[in-house]
Amino acid sequence: MKKKKIIITSIFLVLIAVTSFVFLTSAIESYNYDMDPANGVDILEGVGAGILIMIGSFVVFYELDLFYTVYYFFIRPKTVLKSIIVVLSHLMLILMFFSEKIEDFVKIHFHKIVEGPYEDAVILIGMFSIYFILKIAIFIIGLREKIRKDISDL
């Protein structure tokens, strides 16, 4: 069991380190390119670097969530309810990549729901809110299980 923990943790630490290194070096290269006067970039200097850092941060966040999911299913004791919630919360992060297609579907079939100036962000914010609520539910379920265990040990 301890060997499994070390292997899973090591794999994800290397993956996160490589991802961080790649995105940070790409952002630095982009920034240096934008700041060089010989390249002729005169508007929005450094924005590409900022976008790369934001995308890299989201990828690292996703990898951390994937690590939690893998760690939960391989190491931790499982319950049916908590397993379903872990999978649903992870699914919400995956669906964020397809938020544009979901927005198009909602605009066609439920256009009254997403009308307004921020209609493009409604679906994305909604999915992230559901993800956050599911993560809070996982925390509460884990806390409840810990309290029950502590009470039964008395």
Side-chain angles (χ1 to χ4, degrees):
M1 183 67 116
K2 188 168 183 147
K3 193 174 188 180
K4 220 191 267 190
K5 268 186 190 180
I6 292 171
I7 291 171
I8 290 172
T9 306
S10 299
I11 288 171
F12 277 97
L13 281 175
V14 168
L15 181 65
I16 290 169
V18 167
T19 302
S20 300
F21 178 77
V22 166
F23 275 98
L24 282 175
T25 55
S26 298
I28 291 169
E29 287 176 16
S30 173
Y31 182 78
N32 288 337
Y33 178 82
D34 288 350
M35 293 302 145
D36 188 8
N39 294 324
V41 177
D42 59 348
I43 56 173
L44 299 176
E45 293 174 335
V47 173
I51 290 172
L52 281 170
I53 289 174
M54 287 185 346
I55 291 171
S57 299
F58 185 75
V59 170
V60 168
F61 179 74
Y62 178 78
E63 288 171 353
L64 286 170
D65 188 66
L66 182 63
F67 167 70
Y68 175 77
T69 304
V70 169
Y71 188 83
Y72 172 75
F73 281 113
F74 282 105
I75 308 296
R76 305 283 312 255
K78 292 164 263 324
T79 62
V80 174
L81 178 62
K82 197 169 177 181
S83 297
I84 291 171
I85 294 175
V86 166
V87 169
L88 285 176
S89 69
H90 193 70
L91 183 64
M92 281 298 125
L93 277 184
I94 292 172
L95 285 177
M96 283 185 194
F97 289 113
F98 305 106
S99 64
E100 189 172 316
K101 300 287 185 194
I102 295 169
E103 286 172 10
D104 292 341
F105 176 79
V106 170
K107 283 179 187 176
I108 291 169
H109 297 291
F110 307 102
H111 57 88
K112 296 285 185 194
I113 295 173
V114 292
E115 285 181 342
Y118 303 108
E119 62 186 22
D120 293 339
V122 169
I123 301 298
L124 192 60
I125 291 170
M127 284 191 291
F128 189 75
S129 299
I130 292 170
Y131 167 79
F132 190 68
I133 290 168
L134 290 171
K135 285 297 182 180
I136 290 172
I138 291 169
F139 176 74
I140 291 172
I141 290 171
L143 197 61
R144 188 182 70 185
E145 291 170 358
K146 183 173 173 53
I147 290 171
R148 282 186 182 168
K149 182 181 175 203
D150 289 346
I151 289 174
S152 67
D153 287 344
L154 292 175

